[in-house]
Amino acid sequence: MTNETLKKAIEQTAVAVRQMNPLVPSITNTVTINFVANAQLAVGGSAAMVYLPDEGEGLAHICQAMYINVGTLFPVYAETLPLTAKVLHEERKPWVLDPVAIGLGKMRTDLLTQFKEYKPSIIRGNASEIIALAGLWNLSGGSAVSEVRGVDSTDTVRAARDAAMALASWTGGAVAVSGAEDLITDGKQVIISKGGSPMMPCITGTGCSLGGVMAVYAAAADPFVAAITGAAVYNLAGSRAETYVKGTGSFQTAFIDELYTAQPSDIAGNPFILE
Ligand SMILES: Nc1ncnc2c1ncn2[C@@H]1O[C@H](COP(=O)(O)OP(=O)(O)OP(=O)(O)O)[C@@H](O)[C@H]1O
Ligand SMILES: Cc1ncsc1CCO
Ligand SMILES: [Mg+2]
């Protein structure tokens, strides 16, 4: 892929989801569920959030793509998440996994272990989560899950490069590592997406909602292009929003405004490096 073909693919993806309004349901955490839905709607998707096993399974059958985030687990998810992921895998529906807080608790570890066989099309996490997931799945570049602390990253994006490439090679999809710059790989090529704002890690759910938005784009593009398009619109919107807000509260509102008003050509023009 060249810079020009990638820019064209990003622009086409952003245009396509606005035309399609794809149904992209989520099973996600209760902290940021509203932010995820609003971000998905802002870029052109149709959101639907569920918790129950038959509802996850039912939506997996009819959706264009789906988002699963293990941030706040409840006992019912031991049934909901594998059932839903199995349908997505069997029907070759694109789906995005956010392995939030990997390493915390037995149920989270069991679920994330099971997802190895259901091959998420895009894995999106911060650097520490990506390194820990590669470790849990016994892939190169990974490390023991016990090193993760809570939901925030203690590693740099570049430190997760090998883990991200190993995960993408396993799934055959894409992996996106978020941070001050974002690294996206399909296991062969690596893209660094630039921009964003230091305010983004100061509000909860920019990462979660980024996963939801990547799932929306995955309804219209292959996983690698979808993940790159998501990173690009986030970095564009974050850079723009920080220029006129007083602090992080109004940043969240301005950020959603910028997602909503971002033009496909501007999303494609957000700086990236193809390594
Ligand atoms: N220092 C930074 N400068 C610019 N952009 C940033 C910075 N830190 C994070 N971002 C952006 O914020 C978004 C979320 O990334 P982050 O790594 O904070 O996710 P996360 O830790 O999973 O977030 P959460 O779990 O709260 O949803 C990405 O678009 C990323 O590019
Ligand atoms: C803060 C927090 N705690 C569980 S999930 C979540 C959202 C960010 O990952
Ligand atoms: Mg996160």
Side-chain angles (χ1 to χ4, degrees), residues 29 31-32 71-72 100 151 204-205 208:
N29 69 73
V31 182
T32 65
T72 50
V100 184
V151 303
T204 187
C208 306

Side-chain angles (χ1 to χ4, degrees), residues 96-99 122-134 141 153-168 174-186 189-194 207 210-211 214 224 227-228 230-232 235:
V96 179
L97 172 67
D98 188 331
I122 299 173
I123 299 167
R124 192 227 68 86
N126 61 45
S128 299
E129 290 162 346
I130 294 300
I131 292 168
L133 188 65
S153 187
T154 54
D155 295 282
T156 65
V157 168
R158 300 266 176 182
R161 182 189 174 102
D162 290 349
M165 292 191 80
L167 286 165
V175 174
V177 191
S178 60
E181 53 186 16
D182 297 80
L183 183 153
I184 303 110
T185 180
D186 62 357
Q189 290 191 288
V190 172
I191 292 275
I192 304 293
S193 179
K194 305 247 179 198
L210 173 57
M214 286 177 176
F224 192 38
I228 294 167
N235 284 326

